[in-house]
């Protein structure tokens, strides 16, 4: 064998090398015999013997066999010469000569043929051990191997008929003994079943089929084939059922069970679940999910079982099998315990020794469970005795070596998992042979010996006057004088050899240092005779021995032994009874007993004298552990003490209330209560829970009670009333009952839920009052009481407020800062905080008064805690820190350094550290950067975010404290993400109305001032062809009316802040519902009345419905009427504009420009607004406008831009509702921000702008074609901002209101603040359903920077040509004036128009309208 040949080569090499050493050092020096008379010469016969390699190459291992088979237990040992191999079974040598079934193979292995095994006869099963012996050398034994013979085939459970749904998992039980599992196989329909990834056999024999198919149905049985005739189980039918298309509850078919495995083995944790839908299986270990896909050792088997290969110690723990099918989740758990076979951390080492020496064989082992260790010498068990002792649990100590102790010693470690052995050789040298020093341990079994070089010279004579100077019961002290050959003896060492009289084994004790001539021999037996002799040793070797000295130790005093059967038990929370019996070795009459007791954790032992065998101690502490021991006394004194026994007094109810009770108001309906357990000395037992009682302060008799577990130290009390004061108290519980409760503590819920999504604002005031060694700080809370304040943080320090920080309760309004230095300049900061973070600080500084200042009296505290004195020359922190905002992500920090010269030039190696952070979220960490100048550019910041900055200076090893903080908020940036969570739902009861909901962008980068909703029926249309709806920035929902039924719409949303528009959201599709009785393509025809006559125009409606021809006479009348109305309106407007311009030259307002000339009002953004004037194709209506007492602050402050297409044609079906619609302005926006737009049916784009409280920054341009807007038919009112291309500016529209009838006129609403009442002109019936010119172009939104004044937009209306309607032309709709402007307009109107003149104008117009009505009805 290769290993044997290698060992032999190594041994031969070592032997040759040792032989050379022996030639050099092994010879005695010449003249040694003549050195001293009588000393024997060192001869070659006393040469060093070497250690012999002797070890096992192969050791037997545990084996499983079956009855009637053959087994080989391997064993092979190496030695020169070859060892003799024998075998032991169950500790007894086997006689293999006369055994016809067992025989020894040439290599030493044991062969057993035809294994015999029956219920009552098991001659071959057992524990086997290989024994190797070399004559004149010694014996070694192998590890013990267990031979197990599989029992008779038996089934502990058999398969049963079952049914399973296709796609689920199925199991078929076949449980057998663990030793028979390898011999189990399965058959389906009497044919062998092949196992694969889908069909597996569990370690116990159970069959698992996952993802069952129809082919898995059939008859199953399991077979045990263990050498004899096969054993068959019952047959069971597995039925596969089709999917029932319904859900079934999850249930475990097989759950994991706790297992114990050995390191290096593999195991399977079975887990199979069934249910519909079929569950997904996953595993967790100790709350962590196991990754079975990315691991080579963890494999998820069919059905969900977990296979763990090559188990390590880290695999131990609790495993959770979780089955989840989306509807429900179930879980099961099992514990995996990992054991380890014994392993040697340190093996015994070969030892050279002399007779009479004490040696120790060291042996360190590890394993789980902890292995037990036994020692074997030459194959025989070492029995501990006075000379063979087990020390330090595993080491073998041999005292007083004799020649027969030579041989091989083996350390055998074993536990429940296995056993292992390691050995070493002991060689005893002659006294005249020096003990060689051994080399470091090598990997070879052979040991190389290093020999100490021998020297020659005279040896010392025997020590003189050896006497026992002190003799006691268990020790003897020996003294002597120096040998006669060496009177000084400074360089001599001595060895004292001693043994019991009549015992050949001699022990030795050496002196501790040269020249010492006394030694104390301990651990002797009382009244025992010992023989002592002393030998001196110099550098040449041992000298002569002194004459033997016979000494007898003193007899032991006859004292009592320990009292047996001592017991202690608690009889109450404050008493313990201790009992014992009379000592077995009383050595005379027992006079009394002394009971010692001590509280655990203390070192003060108390005692009490007792004459009986029991005693009850009273007045002990409750639920406290005590230790007890008893000492018996006789006439000689105290005897041997008993071992300590410990017992704990019984528990009781707590004797004190919980500590540190505090209340935290969470919101208007809940309060969190916190507390700490009672002090340990007052708990009187294990705290099992707490009882919380609370009540309204106004109703003290109505108390509510709740219980919490013992480990819980806080509780959320919910369901409270708003703005109500409550009282709370807490009591601790033990198994004995409830302890005392705390005092009532009060807290009041909020009147309304406060905001805790942001940090508190700055406190409204901070006042400081300095004293000599303290400063009194007082403050008032932030002005904004709608933000939660949890408390206040007070920072203070000399020159900087960052040295110390103190936090106080939110109710506190003052605090005294103690232990300050007199005559020192302190900077104090105050910040309010909540769970989000800390708010902006408020700073104040104060100088403490000097010691000599007696104007104020300080209260000095004796033995106050020492405050460290700062460095006498600290670095002063930078001052004047400023933050200059440069952009949305950049801030420049500048500062000054008072320690620099006036020119602020840095000439040394100092540098500055800038740190910054934002307070949202609260746990944001500081970022730092170093600078060598007095400024630093901080980049990479978030837009629209408040940051705080501070600076410190460092020079060498000295640094300053942080400076006072500077704050800066980065500029806004256009939103970089779209609105999220966009949803569209239909409004209940109104199928043509939908509600759009959304959430703000996650990256708003500023305050959102508005949203734009785009929608279209064509998702691929150009964006300027989509219909647009504006929404104010503080709304997250919007209604859109008058959509076509049963039509898919697509919606996008875009957010805007002061910097511009953000990206659009993804398109969301919504299909409007169907409605019974609908006409056309989902559009609802208006109610035209019973006397309706079909229109006569040949043009189409917006939805393409055909119209009838119109009578030519009626058409002529309509044309003439429209012309007259247009002339009247032009005349009125011209007169109005001319009179206002001539009578108010000082007024600077928006200009009114006609076709032939222009007049301008020059003013600021708050321009005076003319009468509310709306002009349509079909009718001219001056709507009555009342001044609203409460104009809508949200929807009317800034108008919404719309282009000229917003004013859409309306058919004559709306005439019946005209009187209901005239007062269409409602003063408040509808609750759901509804918009009724009649022009939506045509799906033409309407350009609108979001709005906020800031000036408009964008305009909308539509450039109509020349044939749709001739110059001769338009009248334009404009502002100073003129479009050179003639494009119309869009007007801002305040809001659109929901009408009761479901439809509304497309009117432009403005704030009704003009003093004049509007009036109505009856409209001419339209020539037919109007249509849009499809050629009308429109352009998307064009962004432009805001001007310093408001840009008023215009809308136009025009009378179309014969036979078709035209798009509306611009008409000025200025924004509503403010209150001051309204007052001025009242004055202006009174000075411009006389009441009589206005009455005449009104009467004249009303007459014209009546005539037109008569013409149209004729």
């Amino acid at each position: 064998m290769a290993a044997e040949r290698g060992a032999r080569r190594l041994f031969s090499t070592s032997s040759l090398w040792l032989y050379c050493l022996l030639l050099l050092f092994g010879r005695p020096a010449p003249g040694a015999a003549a050195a001293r008379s009588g000393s024997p010469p060192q001869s070659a016969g006393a040469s060093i013997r070497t250690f012999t390699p002797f070890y096992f190459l192969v050791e037997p291992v545990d084996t499983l066999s079956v009855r009637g088979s053959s087994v080989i237990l391997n064993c092979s040992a190496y030695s020169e010469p070859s060892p003799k191999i024998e075998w032991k079974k169950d500790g007894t040598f086997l006689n293999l000569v006369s055994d016809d079934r067992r025989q020894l193979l040439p290599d030493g292995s044991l062969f057993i043929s035809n294994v015999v095994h029956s219920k009552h006869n098991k001659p071959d099963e057992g524990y086997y051990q290989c024994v190797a012996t070399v004559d004149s050398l010694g014996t070694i034994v192998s590890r013990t191997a267990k031979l197990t013979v599989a029992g008779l085939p038996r089934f502990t459970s058999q398969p049963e008929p079952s049914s399973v749904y296709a796609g689920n998992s199925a199991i078929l039980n076949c449980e057998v003994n663990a030793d028979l599992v390898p011999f189990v196989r399965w058959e389906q329909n009497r044919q062998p079943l092949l196992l694969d990834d889908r069909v597996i056999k569990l370690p116990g024999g159970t069959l698992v089929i996952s993802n069952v198919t129809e082919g898995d149905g059939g008859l199953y049985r399991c077979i045990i084939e263990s050498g004899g005739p096969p054993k068959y189980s019952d047959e069971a039918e597995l039925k596969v059922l089709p999917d029932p298309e319904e859900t079934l509850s999850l249930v475990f078919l097989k759950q994991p069970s706790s297992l114990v495995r050995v390191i290096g083995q593999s195991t399977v944790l079975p887990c199979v679940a069934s249910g519909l839908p079929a569950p997904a299986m996953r595993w967790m270990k100790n709350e962590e999910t196991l990754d079975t896909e990315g691991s080579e050792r963890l494999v998820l088997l069919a059905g969900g079982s977990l296979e763990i290969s090559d188990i390590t110690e880290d695999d131990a723990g609790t495993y959770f099998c979780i089955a989840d099918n989306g509807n429900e989740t179930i879980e099961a758990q099992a514990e995996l315990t990992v054991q380890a076979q014994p392993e040697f951390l340190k093996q015994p080492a070969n030892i050279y020794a002399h007779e009479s020496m004490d040696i120790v064989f060291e042996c360190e082992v590890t394993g789980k469970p902890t292995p037990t260790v036994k020692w074997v010498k030459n194959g025989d068990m070492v029995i501990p005795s006075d000379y063979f002792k087990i020390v330090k649990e595993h080491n073998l100590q041999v005292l007083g070596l004799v020649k027969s102790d030579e041989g091989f010693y083996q350390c055998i470690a074993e536990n429940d998992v296995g056993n292992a052995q390691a050995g070493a050789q002991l060689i005893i040298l002659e006294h005249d042979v020096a003990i060689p020093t051994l080399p470091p341990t090598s990997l070879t079994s052979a040991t190389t010996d290093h020999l100490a070089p021998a020297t020659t010279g005279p040896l010392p004579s025997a020590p003189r006057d050896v006497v026992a100077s002190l003799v006691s019961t268990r020790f003897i002290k020996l003294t002597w004088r120096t040998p006669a050959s060496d009177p000084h003896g400074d360089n001599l060492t001595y060895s004292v050899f001693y043994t019991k009289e009549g015992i050949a084994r001699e022990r030795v004790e050496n002196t501790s240092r040269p020249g010492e001539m006394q030694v104390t021999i301990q651990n002797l037996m009382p009244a025992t005779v010992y023989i002592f002799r002393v030998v001196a040793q110099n550098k040449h070797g041992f000298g002569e021995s002194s004459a033997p000295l016979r000494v007898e130790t003193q007899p032991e005093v006859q004292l009592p032994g320990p009292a047996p059967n001592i017991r202690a038990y608690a009889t109450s929370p404050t008493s313990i009874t201790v009992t014992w019996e009379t000592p077995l070795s009383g050595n005379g009459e027992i006079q009394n007993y002394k009971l010692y007791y001590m509280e655990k954790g203390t070192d003060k032992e108390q005692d009490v004298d007792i004459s009986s065998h029991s005693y009850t101690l009273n007045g002990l502490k409750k639920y406290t552990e005590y230790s007890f021991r008893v000492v018996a006394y006789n006439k000689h004194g105290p005897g041997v003490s008993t071992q300590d026994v410990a017992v704990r007094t019984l528990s009781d109810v707590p004797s004190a209330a919980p500590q540190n009770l505090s209340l935290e108001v969470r919101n208007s309906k809940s309060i969190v209560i916190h507390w700490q357990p009672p002090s340990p000395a007052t708990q009187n037992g294990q705290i099992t829970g707490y009882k919380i009682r609370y009540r309204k302060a106004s109703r003290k008799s109505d108390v509510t009670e709740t219980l919490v577990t013992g480990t819980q130290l806080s509780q959320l009390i919910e369901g409270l009333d708003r703005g109500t004061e409550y009282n709370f108290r807490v009591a601790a519980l033990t198994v004995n009952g409830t302890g005392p409760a705390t005092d009532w503590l009060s807290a009041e819920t909020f009147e309304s839920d406060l905001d805790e999504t942001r940090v508190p604002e700055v406190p409204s005031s901070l006042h400081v009052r300095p004293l000599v060694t303290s400063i009194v700080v007082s403050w008032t809370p932030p002005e904004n009481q709608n933000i939660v304040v949890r408390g206040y943080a007070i920072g203070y320090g000399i020159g900087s407020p960052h040295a110390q920080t103190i936090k106080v309760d939110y109710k506190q309004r003052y605090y005294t800062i103690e232990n300050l230095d007199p005559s020192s300049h302190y900077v104090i900061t105050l910040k309010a905080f909540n769970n989000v973070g800390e708010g902006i600080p408020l700073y104040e500084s104060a100088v403490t008064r000097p010691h000599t200042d007696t104007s104020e009296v300080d209260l000095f505290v004796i033995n106050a805690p020492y405050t460290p004195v700062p460095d006498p020359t600290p670095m002063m922190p930078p001052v004047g820190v400023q933050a200059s905002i440069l952009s949305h992500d950049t801030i420049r920090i500048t500062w000054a350094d008072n320690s620099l010269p006036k020119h602020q030039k840095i000439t040394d190696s100092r540098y500055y550290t800038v740190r910054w952070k934002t307070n949202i979220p609260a746990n944001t960490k500081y970022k730092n950067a170093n600078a060598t100048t007095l400024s630093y550019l901080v980049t990479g910041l978030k837009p629209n975010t408040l940051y705080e900055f501070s600076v410190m200076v460092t020079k060498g090893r000295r640094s300053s404290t942080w400076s006072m903080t500077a704050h800066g908020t980065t500029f806004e940036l256009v939103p970089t993400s779209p609105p999220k969570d966009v949803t569209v739902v239909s409004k209940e009861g109104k199928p043509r109305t939908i509600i759009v909901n959304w959430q703000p962008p996650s990256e708003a980068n500023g305050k959102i001032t508005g949203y734009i909703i785009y929608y279209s029926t064509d998702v691929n249309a150009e964006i300027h062809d989509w219909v647009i709806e504006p929404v104010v920035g503080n709304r997250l929902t919007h209604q859109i009316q008058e959509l076509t039924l049963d039509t898919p719409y697509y919606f996008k949303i875009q957010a805007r802040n002061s910097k511009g528009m953000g990206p659009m959201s993804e398109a969301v599709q919504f299909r409007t519902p169907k409605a019974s009785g609908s006409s056309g393509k989902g559009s609802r025809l208006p109610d035209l009345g019973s006397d309706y006559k079909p229109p006569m125009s040949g043009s189409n409606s917006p939805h393409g419905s055909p119209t009838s021809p119109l009578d030519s006479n009626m058409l002529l009348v309509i044309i003439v009427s429209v012309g007259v109305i247009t002339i009247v309106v032009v005349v009125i407007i011209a007169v109005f504009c001319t009179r206002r311009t001539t009578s108010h030259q000082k007024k600077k307002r928006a200009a009114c420009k006609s076709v032939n000339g222009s007049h301008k009002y020059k003013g600021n953004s708050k321009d005076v607004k003319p009468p509310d004037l709306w002009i349509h194709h079909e009718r001219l209506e001056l709507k009555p406008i009342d001044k609203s007492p409460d104009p809508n602050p949200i929807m009317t402050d800034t108008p919404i831009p719309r282009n000229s297409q917003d004013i859409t044609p309306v058919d004559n079906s709306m005439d019946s509702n005209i009187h209901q619609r005239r007062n269409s302005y409602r003063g408040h926006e509808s609750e759901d921000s509804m918009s009724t737009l009649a022009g939506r049916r045509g799906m033409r784009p309407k350009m609108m702008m979001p709005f906020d409280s800031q000036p408009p920054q964008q305009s909308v341009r539509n450039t109509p074609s020349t044939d749709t807007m001739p110059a001769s038919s338009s009248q334009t009112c404009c502002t100073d901002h003129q479009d050179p291309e003639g494009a119309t500016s869009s007007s801002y529209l305040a809001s659109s209101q929901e009408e009761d009838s479901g439809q509304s006129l497309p009117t432009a609403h403005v704030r009704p603040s003009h003093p004049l009442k509007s009036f109505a002109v009856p409209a001419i019936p339209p020539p037919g359903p109007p249509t849009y010119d499809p050629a009308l172009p429109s352009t998307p939104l064009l962004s432009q920077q805001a001007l310093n004044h408001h840009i008023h937009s215009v809308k136009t209306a025009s009378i179309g040509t014969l036979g078709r309607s035209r798009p509306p032309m611009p008409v000025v709709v200025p924004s509503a004036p403010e209150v001051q402007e309204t007052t001025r307009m009242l004055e202006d109107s009174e000075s411009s128009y006389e009441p009589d003149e206005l009455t005449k104008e009104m009467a004249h117009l009303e007459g014209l309208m009546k005539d037109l009505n008569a013409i149209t009805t004729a």
Side-chain angles (χ1 to χ4, degrees), residues 153-155 157-159 172-176 180-193 201 204-207 219-235:
R154 286 191 183 89
F155 296 102
S157 68
Q158 300 193 45
L172 295 165
N173 289 318
C174 181
E175 299 289 340
V176 298
L180 291 174
V181 170
F183 310 107
V184 174
R185 65 178 181 86
W186 282 86
E187 287 185 353
Q188 179 187 11
N189 297 327
R190 304 291 177 95
Q191 296 297 320
L193 180 64
K201 183 183 71 173
T206 298
L207 184 69
L219 297 175
Y220 288 83
R221 67 177 181 179
C222 64
I223 305 101
I224 303 177
E225 296 177 331
S226 58
K231 177 85 170 179
Y232 294 94
S233 72
D234 297 337
E235 277 192 326

Side-chain angles (χ1 to χ4, degrees), residues 751-773:
E751 285 287 349
S752 59
D753 288 333
L754 301 183
D755 180 15
E756 200 169 5
T757 61
R758 50 186 172 144
V759 297
E761 294 183 359
V762 62
S764 54
S765 68
L766 172 62
H767 304 282
V768 296
R769 179 166 167 258
L771 303 175
V772 177
T773 59

Side-chain angles (χ1 to χ4, degrees), residues 1260-1339:
V1260 182
R1261 297 182 181 182
N1262 277 340
T1263 308
S1265 58
T1266 55
D1267 65 316
T1268 58
M1269 194 180 77
S1272 60
S1273 62
S1274 66
Q1275 174 180 336
T1276 305
C1277 292
C1278 64
T1279 68
D1280 291 344
H1281 176 71
Q1282 301 179 17
D1283 192 335
E1285 301 177 3
T1288 63
S1289 299
S1290 63
S1291 69
Y1292 279 91
L1293 205 63
S1295 67
S1296 49
Q1297 307 295 327
E1298 178 182 359
E1299 298 297 332
D1300 296 336
S1301 63
Q1303 298 179 351
S1304 69
L1305 297 175
T1307 58
H1309 295 206
V1310 298
R1311 182 155 52 186
S1313 57
H1314 198 279
L1316 299 179
K1317 291 285 185 177
S1318 298
F1319 46 88
V1321 180
I1324 302 173
T1331 60
Y1332 281 117
D1333 188 345
L1336 179 66
S1338 64
T1339 58

Side-chain angles (χ1 to χ4, degrees), residues 308-342:
I308 308 176
S309 305
D310 191 16
I311 291 176
T312 65
E313 193 171 355
D314 294 337
D315 291 327
T318 303
Y319 288 78
F320 297 88
C321 174
I322 302 172
D324 184 2
N325 66 353
N327 296 329
E328 61 177 321
T329 301
I330 58 175
E331 70 174 39
Q333 70 180 61
E335 190 80 17
L336 176 61
T337 303
V338 177
Q339 295 183 339
Q341 293 187 355

Side-chain angles (χ1 to χ4, degrees), residues 1058-1140:
S1058 63
K1059 291 298 181 181
M1061 310 299 298
M1064 292 186 185
S1065 64
E1066 294 293 329
V1068 176
Q1069 182 183 8
F1070 179 80
R1071 190 179 191 93
T1072 52
K1074 298 180 181 180
S1076 59
S1078 61
S1079 176
K1081 191 177 181 180
S1083 63
R1084 178 166 54 87
L1085 294 178
D1087 185 8
L1088 302 178
S1090 58
D1091 56 351
Y1092 166 73
K1093 295 182 180 180
M1096 298 188 177
S1097 172
S1099 61
N1100 294 333
S1101 69
H1103 293 279
S1105 58
T1107 57
S1108 302
L1110 185 67
D1111 183 80
S1112 59
N1113 294 330
M1114 179 63 71
L1115 182 60
L1116 181 60
V1117 170
I1118 290 174
I1119 293 173
V1120 172
S1121 301
V1122 171
V1124 172
I1125 290 173
T1126 302
I1127 294 171
V1128 171
V1129 170
V1130 171
V1131 170
I1132 292 174
I1133 292 175
V1135 171
F1136 175 80
C1137 293
T1138 303
R1139 289 194 177 188
R1140 285 189 60 82

